[in-house]
Amino acid sequence: MSKDKLAALKAAFKTPEREQRESLPNNYFPFWNMKAGEKAVIRFLPDRDDDNVRGFLVEKVFHTLMINGQKKSVPCLSMYGDDCPVCKVSQDYYKVKDEVNGKKYWKKKQYIAQALVIEDPLPPGQDGETHEGKVRYIALGYQIYNIIKEAFASDELESIPYSFDDGYDFIIKKTQQGEYSTYVMGTKFKGSPRGLSEEELATVEDGMIELATLLPKNPGSEKVQAMLNADLNGESLDEDEEFSSRKPAAKSTPAKPSRDAEDETPPQAKKPTPAKKVVAADEGNDEAEQDVDAMLAAIKARRQAK
């Protein structure tokens, strides 16, 4: 892996970010179900898309709305380069100093990776299997994301962490602080790199994907507006309804400022801007663009030689 690629990763992890996790499918590794004091060990794997500037993470942006009496995760349209009506409502609340509702409707963030599970402290599932030795998807909140970001900022990583030959295993440790669980103590990249074993390489070869395929499809502005109206007005919503021919709903007016709003610093509320294509610092360099394919080709060649 080139030093330029490592420099590009360090630059990508400089941006301050936010949160959060929701319920996820079974092909995710639910490390948050560990008991306090337990730890898992994983090895992050590269995105099959070499243009991903974060290399091994993709960002999911969403809102949490109450629809038909249940909390629902709704994709934020800013993720697709579109103006988002939920972001607009959040901004309107902040403009009238209602920070409680401003925060309620503000977008949340989650980071998704794929990883080889090296050590799994969780009990076997109903099929009697654990996640150990398998490629799983990992949903990370702001605590673990910040630890990864700080690792790049502190120069403690001397090579690409997801390299097959000299990458770093990553420890996720769960601890308890009062009534809350936290991952800030003991969660870290291991101190020295190691190469993956032949058995691990075979598993990795069969399991890697493009991370963008884990992101939700664009639901469209009309559907998101309808879901927002259902939350704001308590209306029922047929979530299977087609919205392609529906006219945009009327804009919602935020309520008057709440007297008991919490005294918090709000997230920066600004008009969403179209998303730009993320370009790695060394894009255009054939060697860098073919990093993942070259690693997988090397695996095949090594296995065939044996």
Side-chain angles (χ1 to χ4, degrees), residues 45 115-117 131-136 164 196-208 296 299 303:
L45 303 176
L116 178 66
V117 180
H131 298 276
E132 192 165 304
K134 301 179 179 66
V135 174
R136 289 289 186 260
F164 298 155
L196 296 180
S197 69
E198 291 300 321
E199 183 179 356
E200 290 172 330
L201 288 172
T203 302
V204 165
E205 179 186 357
D206 295 333
M208 287 171 51
L296 292 175
I299 292 175
R303 292 175 62 198

Side-chain angles (χ1 to χ4, degrees), residues 137 209-216:
Y137 308 134
I209 64 167
E210 286 193 15
L211 293 175
T213 61
L214 300 176
L215 297 175

Side-chain angles (χ1 to χ4, degrees), residues 8-306:
L9 283 167
K10 290 181 178 181
F13 282 88
K14 285 183 178 178
T15 308
E17 306 292 356
R18 291 184 176 255
E19 31 201 289
Q20 152 174 5
R21 185 177 61 244
E22 56 181 315
S23 59
L24 295 166
N26 292 332
N27 52 1
Y28 280 74
F29 178 41
F31 62 84
W32 51 88
N33 290 332
M34 293 187 295
K35 297 177 181 177
E38 291 184 330
K39 67 179 177 67
V41 180
I42 63 173
R43 180 66 162 262
F44 288 116
L45 303 176
D47 191 347
R48 289 296 296 266
D49 178 6
D50 288 313
D51 288 338
N52 180 356
V53 72
R54 289 190 177 91
F56 62 104
L57 297 175
V58 288
E59 181 181 78
K60 178 181 176 182
V61 188
F62 62 99
H63 300 275
T64 302
L65 300 179
M66 187 66 71
I67 301 171
N68 298 333
Q70 296 183 331
K71 283 187 177 181
K72 299 284 185 178
S73 175
V74 179
C76 178
L77 295 183
S78 67
M79 192 163 49
Y80 315 101
D82 299 331
D83 288 341
C84 179
V86 188
C87 288
K88 176 63 168 60
V89 165
S90 173
Q91 293 159 10
D92 288 344
Y93 274 118
Y94 277 122
K95 287 177 182 178
V96 295
K97 309 302 182 185
D98 184 346
E99 296 182 359
V100 170
N101 281 308
K103 184 177 181 180
K104 173 184 175 182
Y105 291 102
W106 191 246
K107 57 190 174 186
K108 302 172 178 64
K109 293 183 179 180
Q110 185 181 77
Y111 297 89
I112 303 176
Q114 58 187 339
L116 178 66
V117 180
I118 308 297
E119 295 180 20
D120 176 14
L122 299 175
Q126 294 181 350
D127 58 0
E129 297 286 331
T130 68
H131 298 276
E132 192 165 304
K134 301 179 179 66
V135 174
R136 289 289 186 260
Y137 308 134
I138 315 284
L140 306 175
Y142 72 94
Q143 286 186 354
I144 297 178
Y145 180 85
N146 284 343
I147 289 170
I148 295 171
K149 184 172 65 175
E150 288 169 4
F152 283 104
S154 66
D155 292 328
E156 67 181 75
L157 299 174
E158 297 181 356
S159 59
I160 303 296
Y162 52 75
S163 169
F164 298 155
D165 294 323
D166 58 352
Y168 291 80
D169 292 343
F170 188 74
I171 301 169
I172 303 176
K173 186 172 182 178
K174 182 177 183 179
T175 56
Q176 199 75 18
Q177 289 186 343
E179 59 182 310
Y180 299 103
S181 298
T182 179
Y183 300 95
V184 298
M185 300 295 294
T187 297
K188 60 183 178 180
F189 285 103
K190 284 194 173 181
S192 57
R194 74 171 183 94
L196 296 180
S197 69
E198 291 300 321
E199 183 179 356
E200 290 172 330
L201 288 172
T203 302
V204 165
E205 179 186 357
D206 295 333
M208 287 171 51
I209 64 167
E210 286 193 15
L211 293 175
T213 61
L214 300 176
L215 297 175
K217 294 181 179 179
N218 187 342
S221 59
E222 293 173 356
K223 184 169 184 178
V224 171
Q225 184 68 63
M227 297 173 85
L228 173 61
N229 288 347
D231 177 285
L232 289 169
N233 305 321
E235 300 172 351
S236 61
L237 176 69
D238 180 1
E239 297 183 59
D240 296 324
E241 182 179 350
E242 294 293 335
F243 290 87
S244 57
S245 62
R246 171 177 287 192
K247 295 182 180 179
K251 293 184 178 180
S252 302
T253 303
K256 294 181 180 179
S258 171
R259 292 184 178 181
D260 57 354
E262 297 178 18
D263 184 17
E264 294 181 340
T265 302
Q268 185 177 4
K270 60 182 179 181
K271 183 177 180 180
T273 54
K276 298 179 180 179
K277 179 187 176 184
V278 178
V279 181
D282 53 355
E283 184 174 2
N285 181 304
D286 290 341
E287 179 182 356
E289 289 180 356
Q290 297 174 5
D291 277 343
V292 177
D293 289 337
M295 287 192 292
L296 292 175
I299 292 175
K300 291 182 179 180
R302 183 158 47 189
R303 292 175 62 198
Q304 289 171 355
K306 289 190 175 184

